[in-house]
Amino acid sequence: MKGIILAGGAGTRLHPITRAVSKQLLPVFDKPMIYYPLSVLMLAGIRDILVITTPEEQPLFRRLLGDGSELGLQLDYAAQPEPNGIAQAFLIGADHIGDDHCALVLGDNIFHGQGFAMVLRDCIRRLTAGEDGAVLFGYPVRDPERYGVGLADESGRLIDIEEKPAAPRSNRAITGLYLYDDQVVDIARGLTPSARGELEITDVNREYLKRDQARLVDLGRGFAWLDTGTHDSLVEASQYVQVLEHRQGVRIACLEEIALERGWIDADACLALGAAQGKSGYGEYVMNVARARGAQAR
């Protein structure tokens, strides 16, 4: 399974703070925004990941994340010259995906919930077994008319998609996390651009819907989905992370901890990564996690 993080775009809704820096490099409390979608792919067990950025800001992402080897990952980079729709990611990443299945996550989306890793892995298992062709994730919102909305039957099979409906038949907004089988690149290549010249992800999803191969997984009670595309939502996301981390004493989207738990790095490597950031609370946390794992091993 290959992963893609779409971290392009101009971030115009966050101007002026994004006039000089990518939205996905802004802080969400104690870490860069892109750590959160990257952690989702890591929780799913995906290690081969393409990060799609604007051409101008790609060096900044490389400086932050490198080639991923220190986390046991393989990170590659590609440029999106113009933001021509989410589905454009499959054309940009076609060589990266090859004949594999693919997970696409938007670079400004945050997901958090107990057992999320198990949910992701079960969805990937179904894809691998050919039970589904596309897996979308729905989240209940109070204003579904602002979103693409998914309707599913009792088994979770997707039966309809409504794009910003005036009278929504569901309050399940389709989030910025998508899992697809090996047909997705061909489907994206066959899309007709919208009136704005964009390749719409909804059109990809509707094609799987027509083939009766799409599933909608409900992320309901106990999960959080945050879109950090506006000033208010960026502050709210930071407050959410701050409250949980302070109350629970754990770090959300700690890449080093996830890599250690997955066995992609050992405790010594994790300790070194924490020491390199040791003057921050984040670095201290990483070192404490590494020490605890080392003590368990002994």
Side-chain angles (χ1 to χ4, degrees), residues 4-296:
I4 295 179
I5 302 174
L6 184 56
T12 53
R13 289 187 299 165
L14 285 169
H15 279 181
I17 58 176
T18 51
R19 291 184 66 183
V21 66
S22 168
K23 170 175 62 175
Q24 290 85 6
L25 293 173
L26 294 175
V28 178
F29 185 50
D30 58 348
K31 59 190 75 72
M33 187 186 297
I34 197 169
Y35 272 40
Y36 297 89
L38 179 54
S39 73
V40 169
L41 297 181
M42 293 173 68
L43 288 171
I46 299 170
R47 304 172 69 175
D48 194 349
I49 298 167
L50 179 69
V51 183
I52 299 177
T53 73
T54 63
E56 299 80 13
E57 292 163 322
Q58 192 173 113
L60 299 178
F61 285 91
R62 288 183 180 273
R63 181 180 177 185
L64 174 67
L65 300 172
D67 64 3
S69 58
E70 65 181 14
L71 295 170
L73 305 175
Q74 179 178 327
L75 297 182
D76 294 303
Y77 299 85
Q80 184 184 37
E82 298 290 337
N84 290 328
I86 294 172
Q88 186 185 27
F90 302 116
L91 304 187
I92 295 171
D95 290 341
H96 169 75
I97 298 169
D99 296 326
D100 288 331
H101 298 343
C102 176
L104 170 66
V105 60
L106 303 188
D108 62 356
N109 275 219
I110 296 174
F111 296 85
H112 179 253
Q114 186 69 31
F116 192 34
M118 294 299 297
V119 171
L120 292 172
R121 293 192 170 210
D122 183 62
C123 292
I124 291 173
R125 178 196 62 77
R126 291 182 61 92
L127 276 175
T128 304
E131 297 176 35
D132 299 316
V135 180
L136 312 178
F137 295 86
Y139 189 80
V141 295
R142 71 169 185 268
D143 48 356
E145 64 277 1
R146 294 180 52 237
Y147 300 89
V149 175
L151 290 87
D153 62 20
E154 293 182 356
S155 70
R157 185 67 58 185
L158 189 69
I159 57 176
D160 198 8
I161 299 173
E162 300 177 319
E163 192 64 32
K164 297 182 180 179
R169 290 182 288 153
S170 167
N171 69 340
R172 270 20 180 209
I174 296 175
T175 71
L177 173 62
Y178 315 89
L179 307 181
Y180 297 107
D181 66 10
D182 56 3
Q183 304 174 81
V184 69
V185 173
D186 288 338
I187 289 174
R189 284 178 175 144
L191 295 181
T192 300
S194 68
R196 296 179 298 177
E198 298 183 354
L199 297 179
E200 303 286 355
I201 194 69
T202 299
D203 291 339
V204 173
N205 296 333
R206 285 194 172 123
E207 180 59 32
Y208 279 101
L209 173 61
K210 280 192 263 182
R211 300 180 184 190
D212 194 28
Q213 294 178 328
R215 176 171 297 278
L216 183 68
V217 174
D218 184 25
L219 298 179
R221 189 179 298 273
F223 282 89
W225 169 55
L226 305 169
D227 178 347
T228 55
T230 67
H231 298 102
D232 285 341
S233 61
L234 183 60
V235 172
E236 290 168 359
S238 291
Q239 291 172 336
Y240 174 85
V241 174
Q242 180 189 36
V243 168
L244 278 185
E245 292 190 349
H246 284 182
R247 285 180 178 269
Q248 298 180 356
V250 298
R251 300 267 169 169
I252 297 172
C254 179
L255 305 183
E256 295 85 353
E257 183 176 20
I258 297 171
L260 179 62
E261 290 178 347
R262 293 288 176 270
W264 301 341
I265 61 174
D266 60 23
D268 290 339
C270 187
L271 184 64
L273 291 173
Q277 308 171 81
K279 292 185 178 180
S280 70
Y282 182 90
E284 291 175 0
Y285 176 82
V286 172
M287 287 191 288
N288 288 336
V289 166
R291 291 180 183 124
R293 177 59 60 90
Q296 290 175 2

